Amino acid sequence: MPNVVVVTYNRKELTQICIDSILEKTRGRFTLTVVDNGSQDGTVELLQQYEQKKYIHNLICIGRNMGIAVAANLGWLISKDDAYIKLDNDIEVVDGHWMEYLVDVAASNPTIGMVGYKFCDWHKTERRVLDSGHTLQVFESCGGGCALIPHHVHQRLGFWNEEYGLYGYEDLEYGVRANMDGYITGYIDKENVLAHRGFSVGNDAQHESIKNKSIAKEKTGQKLYLLNKFMFEKKLRPLSVQRKYLHRLDAENRLQFRVNAQCKSLYASQRHLLQTMQITLVDGVAQIDLRGLVEGA
């Protein structure tokens, strides 16, 4: 039974459309987990109403925005279901079989590491017929709007990487790690199953602005992603990623976070490399200049 995890941060109207469509249309049994990242627009109150009616099985309210990866990982921790599905709160279910399609493809093909639905037109996919007879649009990853990761893959690769700030490259990186470990990633070869509402409902420009600024930051954006990819490829760090921020409940039952002490040496190495290595992207190819690292040794 899949654990469907929806992370919310404001965007109340979109969240309501998303959750209502999940509840009204989804075929089959599932666990619905919602993690709120400190909404201040009435979203929390809406979610509490769903929880009181037992529409939401697990509700976690963080109290402040810790970022999409931290929240999505909390939802991952809370359930031991066979599969984990991350679904953005601006996605509307159109086809009630959406979850069944994902589960069937993943269960029939143990080499699948991550599978979802395509919302990004710029992802150049390759259609491939799998051993099970299913057709997959193969890509190096899956956009985080909808992504299923089987439990056995999670056991090998761990969590979303929480190093990328509020919004970042955690979805792309997970697919890259899966590919490095021999898994296939890509999209279900079906259209009009889920709808990406985003800008189509209300004014979502502020949310997109925050997202783009986070992705652009050097310490949490593309440069860090390229550095991490280099470290994975050169086996300078394991493909299995631990959580950066560990949580506990304080005396008032509020979530508090601290940096994982086991990872502090890794983060120190990252900071040093980001300061000394020159990383550029030329025609889609990453170029890493190690001269600064050698000179500083």
Side-chain angles (χ1 to χ4, degrees):
M1 184 169 68
N3 176 24
V4 179
V5 175
V6 178
V7 175
T8 60
Y9 176 63
N10 295 327
R11 307 202 294 178
K12 176 183 175 181
E13 186 176 355
L14 285 168
T15 296
Q16 187 166 7
I17 290 172
C18 173
I19 294 180
D20 285 349
S21 70
I22 294 171
L23 297 172
E24 294 170 4
K25 297 181 180 179
T26 302
R27 303 287 187 90
R29 298 175 62 240
F30 60 93
T31 300
L32 179 58
T33 300
V34 181
V35 185
D36 185 79
N37 243 337
S39 295
Q40 298 177 346
D41 66 342
T43 294
V44 172
E45 290 75 15
L46 172 69
L47 297 175
Q48 289 171 339
Q49 292 174 17
Y50 282 123
E51 183 188 33
Q52 290 171 2
K53 295 178 181 178
K54 301 189 183 304
Y55 296 155
I56 294 176
H57 302 103
N58 306 301
L59 176 61
I60 304 171
C61 295
I62 295 178
R64 60 190 176 102
N65 193 349
M66 288 293 297
I68 184 71
V70 174
N73 282 341
L74 284 176
W76 214 337
L77 279 169
I78 205 168
S79 176
K80 303 300 182 184
D81 292 289
D82 296 332
Y84 164 96
I85 301 176
K86 176 180 175 293
L87 191 71
D88 279 358
N89 69 324
D90 61 352
I91 302 297
E92 180 180 4
V93 173
V94 177
D95 185 336
H97 296 282
W98 73 279
M99 187 180 70
E100 292 178 332
Y101 297 147
L102 292 172
V103 172
D104 184 38
V105 169
S108 302
N109 299 276
T111 57
I112 284 184
M114 185 180 185
V115 63
Y117 292 99
K118 184 179 177 182
F119 303 116
C120 303
D121 294 337
W122 57 89
H123 287 180
K124 304 301 181 182
T125 60
E126 172 193 345
R127 182 178 280 107
R128 185 184 304 177
V129 179
L130 305 175
D131 292 340
S132 63
H134 294 97
T135 304
L136 194 71
Q137 295 283 351
V138 175
F139 187 65
E140 63 181 334
S141 185
C142 290
C146 176
L148 178 148
I149 298 174
H151 183 63
H152 68 90
V153 176
H154 174 49
Q155 288 180 308
R156 289 187 60 85
L157 298 180
F159 293 90
W160 303 109
N161 194 333
E162 299 176 358
E163 298 162 17
Y164 296 111
L166 298 182
Y167 304 92
Y169 287 81
E170 64 282 334
D171 49 359
L172 176 58
E173 189 210 88
Y174 205 99
V176 168
R177 284 190 277 135
N179 291 164
M180 289 181 183
D181 204 31
Y183 291 105
I184 300 170
T185 57
Y187 300 109
I188 297 286
D189 194 24
K190 293 181 182 293
E191 297 182 353
N192 302 317
V193 178
L194 300 176
H196 184 200
R197 292 305 177 195
F199 281 103
S200 64
V201 178
N203 184 1
D204 207 29
Q206 183 180 13
H207 176 85
E208 291 299 317
S209 176
I210 295 172
K211 181 177 180 180
N212 291 334
K213 287 179 180 178
S214 179
I215 290 174
K217 289 182 178 179
E218 182 173 277
K219 293 182 179 179
T220 59
Q222 186 181 73
K223 187 174 181 179
L224 177 61
Y225 162 71
L226 293 173
L227 172 60
N228 278 334
K229 186 177 180 182
F230 172 77
M231 295 179 75
F232 290 129
E233 289 174 344
K234 300 302 180 183
K235 303 187 187 309
L236 298 176
R237 65 179 298 185
L239 293 177
S240 180
V241 169
Q242 302 180 56
R243 295 169 59 214
K244 178 176 181 179
Y245 297 103
L246 303 182
H247 70 281
R248 66 176 181 82
L249 291 175
D250 65 14
E252 297 181 8
N253 212 34
R254 295 175 301 190
L255 281 173
Q256 300 292 332
F257 294 87
R258 62 177 175 82
V259 175
N260 188 342
Q262 295 182 1
C263 300
K264 286 185 177 180
S265 60
L266 168 64
Y267 302 143
S269 298
Q270 279 181 338
R271 289 192 296 271
H272 176 65
L273 291 172
L274 284 171
Q275 292 170 356
T276 55
M277 298 171 64
Q278 295 298 317
I279 304 176
T280 56
L281 199 63
V282 179
D283 296 328
V285 178
Q287 297 182 355
I288 300 179
D289 187 341
L290 301 175
R291 285 175 295 185
L293 181 63
V294 174
E295 292 168 0

